[in-house]
Amino acid sequence: MLSRLLSHDLPRSKLLAAILIAIVLGLAFAPFLFPGVKALNVAAKVLIFVVLVAGFDLLLGYTGIVSFAHTMFFGIGAYGVAIASTRMGPSWGALAVGIGGALVLSLLLSLAIGLFSLRVRAIFFAMITLAVAAAFQTLASQLSDFTGGEDGLTFKLPELLSPSFEPFETEVFGVLIDGKIITYYALFVVAVVLVLALLRIVNSPFGRVLQAIRENEFRAEAIGYRVVVYRTLSSVLSALFACAAGAMLAIWLRYNGPDTSLSFEIMMDVLLIVVIGGMGTIYGAVIGSVLFLIAQSYLQDLLRLGSEATAGIPLLPALLSPDRWLLWLGLLFVLSVYYFPTGVVGRLRSRAAAKP
Amino acid sequence: MTTRHIDFKPLLLVPALALLALPLIGSGSTWLTLTVAGLAMGMIIFIIASGLTLVFGLMDVLNFGHGVFIALGAFVATSVLGAMGDYTGSGDIWRNLVAVVPAMIIAMLVAGALGLAFERFIVRPVYGQHLKQILITMGGMIIGEELIKVIWGPQQIPLPLPGGMRGAWLIGDAAVEKYRVVAVIVGAVVFAALAWTLSRTKVGLLIRAGVQDREMVESLGYRIRRLFVGVFVVGSALAGLGGVMWGLYQQNVVPQMGAQVNILIFIVIIIGGLGSTTGALIGALLVGLMANYTGFLAPKVALFSNIALMVAVLLWRPQGVYPVANR
């Protein structure tokens, strides 16, 4: 049963299995285990990033295509919910219209980019998507009548999902259940379903063709698979998952702006998570997201301590300033590409496989 | 590959675009101003893009971190020009050049030195692996950008034009800014020097041969790896020079400028055909003109216009106007 649910793609390492179970349990009971607003925010962001990154891994890890336009679809999803909810008022209809519209737009846009540029080599595609994503970001901040410009949009959601909704008179296991926690569980269910769907996709015959294309495009074409078609499908699917993740983000924050969902830093984060977790493994996205978001949320505090401790020494405080945390992430990124090419999951799996 | 005549059709694109814009803009003097501005911007972009396209053509490495050399060059120039206030403040262009020329040379040296380190530590371990190249050079760019913020601070720094280069000449009703003419001259000099090196010297012969068929050149006994490091360093130094010019063009510099310019450069070398210097020149001029015309006609779609241009060119010639790499 479990094996079928995971599409027979089991962790294949006891340690990896234990970590994954701990993560799933931790996320499932996060509101009860880790009290406080910040912790719940981190947990919700983990759920959103798991979907975003696993979708990206379908493209990068399984098909071997580098796209820099993934945050564009993330942004489309978030703007879809934000714009529909602002225009139509807080209702389920607005949510459905927003998400549906965003999914259709993502589908058409990714299809257009894919058909236009996937005929050329991976390196071309990366450049073209970078340009398109930059143009889209400019567009989003310039169409201020529609997107709220740089300020973004703050909006309300249906009552069930708003923080003031409190269905129970008393606390449940010491936690007051409100709309925020209901939203969290809605995201949790969506994230689980989407990740299982992705596992299903990559372990289907379709997923195997993608891997074949990644390994040797020429041979895949020679066997008779239309490489362009498969690449385009992979890119469209990946865009749809990113769009869904964007909608989740907007629902959680009840706000969206260009920096929240479209900035290039998010693209960098996604790349880093994929590389750290392990390319070509959906589980890598889960582990990478947890590690990265915890580090991101607490690394700045650590750097602040380091910066204060080295206050007398020249240059070091500037290097350790909390504002320079991207420097350390960049360094970590380069070093992981160098020394850690298969990521956490790859490492754990090869260790388990090496044991007799 | 067999014919020797020059393919002239792409060369006509630049005047065609300029002529097409004339009736849309209407006023001849405005058109002249915009055209000179576009050519100047194009020349600066060409200086930056030439190194990148050669590195790609020669070694099949696309450096996503190329932008960091641009930013570095520009920031070095702020320090050098800032220290020579006596010379930059003067209205005499010869006194200005005493400050600007050393600033350019130092920027090129620093950017070239960083290029050497970048090739050694970032690019060398990932030859032949496109996926990793894209990822790791991107990481290198993030690190470089953050280090610039550590040294010069994260804020925008003004880079005012030297006194003698400010202002404009009036030709009829058209105002032609002096600095733009300077930029066109510098760009033309760089293009001429590159074209001469590539077509008339032995090093150029080896580079061209290496772009066509690397293994053959190696088997003839030339160390193409060393040649490549040289091209990489020169390309980085040119990006540094381009950074100084771009910074003076914008009159201010920000640490993120490398990433911003990177996008324009990618469009340019895709249009031009990866690996082609002449293609990069045509692409850069087209992008420069397009940016200035649409910036005047419809400011909101300026960035899209370049992407539309790229799409149009790729529909006509999917490998760029002058495809070089035959792999």
Side-chain angles (χ1 to χ4, degrees):
Chain A
M1 169 63 195
L2 186 68
S3 176
R4 273 191 67 177
L5 210 55
L6 297 179
S7 311
H8 308 289
D9 185 6
L10 298 171
R12 297 206 303 273
S13 151
K14 278 186 185 140
L15 187 55
L16 179 60
I19 295 172
L20 286 170
I21 290 170
I23 288 174
V24 172
L25 289 179
L27 287 172
F29 298 106
F32 303 97
L33 291 172
F34 316 108
V37 181
K38 184 172 179 182
L40 194 64
N41 259 323
V42 173
K45 276 206 143 170
V46 168
L47 293 174
I48 294 160
F49 266 80
V50 167
V51 175
L52 179 66
V53 174
F56 185 67
D57 198 29
L58 178 66
L59 206 55
L60 179 69
Y62 283 90
T63 327
I65 300 172
V66 186
S67 162
F68 287 104
H70 206 62
T71 47
M72 179 168 86
F73 301 112
F74 190 54
I76 290 176
Y79 271 117
V81 170
I83 292 170
S85 297
T86 326
R87 300 258 153 156
M88 299 168 62
S91 69
W92 296 105
L95 266 184
V97 168
I99 296 175
L103 285 172
V104 171
L105 181 61
S106 300
L107 182 101
L108 295 177
L109 204 55
S110 59
L111 198 63
I113 298 176
L115 286 177
F116 174 67
S117 49
L118 278 171
R119 291 176 301 156
V120 292
R121 297 184 303 164
I123 215 156
F124 248 66
F125 188 69
M127 296 197 296
I128 292 173
T129 51
L130 190 66
V132 171
F136 188 82
Q137 196 181 347
T138 319
L139 183 76
S141 47
Q142 282 191 347
L143 289 178
S144 41
D145 298 341
F146 206 49
T147 60
E150 293 290 338
D151 297 335
L153 296 167
T154 308
F155 53 91
K156 285 200 173 79
L157 287 174
E159 206 205 337
L160 182 66
L161 299 178
S162 64
S164 55
F165 179 73
E166 286 166 10
F168 303 114
E169 298 278 316
T170 53
E171 296 183 341
V172 182
F173 299 112
V175 176
L176 185 68
I177 304 291
D178 60 7
K180 203 78 189 163
I181 289 180
I182 295 173
T183 312
Y184 178 82
Y185 276 104
L187 295 188
F188 180 79
V189 172
V190 171
V192 169
V193 169
L194 289 180
V195 169
L196 289 178
L198 269 167
L199 270 174
R200 187 63 261 167
I201 291 172
V202 298
N203 289 295
S204 65
F206 170 74
R208 292 286 178 266
V209 177
L210 295 186
Q211 281 160 299
I213 292 172
R214 175 191 70 189
E215 294 305 324
N216 194 328
E217 174 192 344
F218 185 72
R219 284 189 193 169
E221 184 85 48
I223 300 171
Y225 293 110
R226 291 293 310 276
V227 169
V228 184
V229 173
Y230 279 89
R231 277 191 173 153
T232 308
L233 277 178
S234 166
S235 132
V236 168
L237 278 174
S238 175
L240 293 181
F241 278 97
C243 179
M248 288 164 71
L249 178 80
I251 289 172
W252 178 251
L253 294 176
R254 279 168 284 125
Y255 163 81
N256 186 45
D259 289 341
T260 324
S261 58
L262 281 174
S263 85
F264 190 69
E265 270 178 40
I266 298 176
M267 198 60 238
M268 227 14 242
D269 297 350
V270 170
L271 280 170
L272 194 68
I273 295 174
V274 171
V275 171
I276 291 176
M279 283 186 263
T281 59
I282 297 295
Y283 297 123
V286 179
I287 292 188
S289 303
V290 173
L291 280 178
F292 179 83
L293 284 161
I294 291 177
Q296 189 190 39
S297 309
Y298 300 99
L299 181 71
Q300 293 186 353
D301 299 337
L302 203 69
L303 281 174
R304 190 169 293 116
L305 286 180
S307 176
E308 281 159 11
T310 53
I313 311 165
L315 200 63
L316 257 186
L319 285 174
L320 290 174
S321 142
D323 294 338
R324 291 290 81 74
W325 70 286
L326 206 58
L327 171 68
W328 298 99
L329 279 187
L331 217 53
L332 187 68
F333 180 72
V334 169
L335 291 177
S336 15
V337 176
Y338 251 119
Y339 296 112
F340 212 45
T342 55
V344 175
V345 169
R347 207 33 98 75
L348 287 176
R349 277 181 168 174
S350 58
R351 232 183 55 171
K355 273 186 206 155
Chain B
M1 284 298 116
T2 50
T3 51
R4 276 183 59 80
H5 76 270
I6 302 163
D7 180 7
F8 62 90
K9 273 186 218 149
L11 296 173
L12 296 175
L13 279 178
V14 178
L17 179 66
L19 287 178
L20 195 71
L22 185 55
L24 289 174
I25 292 166
S27 141
S29 56
T30 315
W31 176 80
L32 184 62
T33 308
L34 289 172
T35 305
V36 174
L39 292 178
M41 184 176 165
M43 280 301 195
I44 299 174
I45 298 173
F46 165 71
I47 295 172
I48 301 168
S50 56
L52 187 63
T53 197
L54 271 183
V55 168
F56 183 85
L58 190 59
M59 290 314 259
D60 202 21
V61 168
L62 187 68
N63 181 9
F64 271 72
H66 198 67
V68 78
F69 306 118
I70 306 164
L72 186 70
F75 273 87
V76 168
T78 61
S79 295
V80 176
L81 291 178
M84 299 176 84
D86 291 351
Y87 290 93
T88 55
S90 155
D92 177 15
I93 193 152
W94 297 108
R95 270 175 77 80
N96 295 158
L97 288 180
V98 173
V100 172
V101 171
M104 285 177 172
I105 292 173
I106 295 172
M108 286 176 81
L109 289 177
V110 174
L114 181 74
L116 196 64
F118 205 87
E119 195 277 336
R120 176 68 193 81
F121 293 108
I122 304 278
V123 182
R124 195 170 291 178
V126 291
Y127 279 129
Q129 300 162 280
H130 276 164
L131 200 77
K132 283 192 175 177
Q133 276 167 14
I134 296 174
L135 296 177
I136 207 165
T137 52
M138 205 75 192
M141 168 134 136
I142 302 284
I143 297 174
E145 201 176 297
E146 291 295 307
L147 285 177
I148 286 174
K149 287 185 196 165
V150 169
I151 300 170
W152 281 281
Q155 72 284 10
Q156 177 173 315
I157 298 179
L159 184 57
L161 272 177
M165 296 184 191
R166 279 178 219 154
W169 287 301
L170 284 174
I171 302 175
D173 290 337
V176 176
E177 286 184 40
K178 291 178 187 171
Y179 178 68
R180 297 191 168 157
V181 177
V182 174
V184 171
I185 293 170
V186 176
V189 168
V190 169
F191 178 69
L194 273 176
W196 181 78
T197 313
L198 284 173
S199 63
R200 292 274 181 269
T201 63
K202 177 148 187 200
V203 175
L205 182 71
L206 287 176
I207 292 174
R208 278 183 298 139
V211 169
Q212 289 291 339
D213 192 338
R214 185 181 162 200
E215 282 177 9
M216 184 58 89
V217 180
E218 273 176 338
S219 64
L220 289 172
Y222 293 102
R223 284 193 221 168
I224 206 149
R225 164 64 54 82
R226 192 177 285 180
L227 192 64
F228 169 62
V229 176
V231 171
F232 200 98
V233 170
V234 171
S236 315
L238 283 175
L241 172 65
V244 179
M245 312 270 313
W246 186 263
L248 286 169
Y249 185 75
Q250 303 277 342
Q251 308 225 21
N252 64 62
V253 295
V254 282
Q256 297 82 7
M257 67 188 282
Q260 294 159 1
V261 181
N262 236 1
I263 292 166
L264 280 182
I265 302 168
F266 286 159
I267 294 177
V268 163
I269 68 173
I270 291 175
I271 291 178
L274 296 164
S276 161
T277 319
T278 317
L281 180 69
I282 292 174
L285 293 178
L286 288 176
V287 163
L289 287 175
M290 196 73 169
N292 277 279
Y293 292 146
T294 51
F296 174 77
L297 292 169
K300 288 211 170 189
V301 296
L303 190 51
F304 275 98
S305 65
N306 280 326
I307 289 179
L309 185 73
M310 179 175 80
V311 170
V313 170
L314 288 186
L315 287 176
W316 177 46
R317 293 202 169 170
Q319 302 293 323
V321 293
Y322 283 127
V324 170
N326 47 357
R327 27 183 169 251

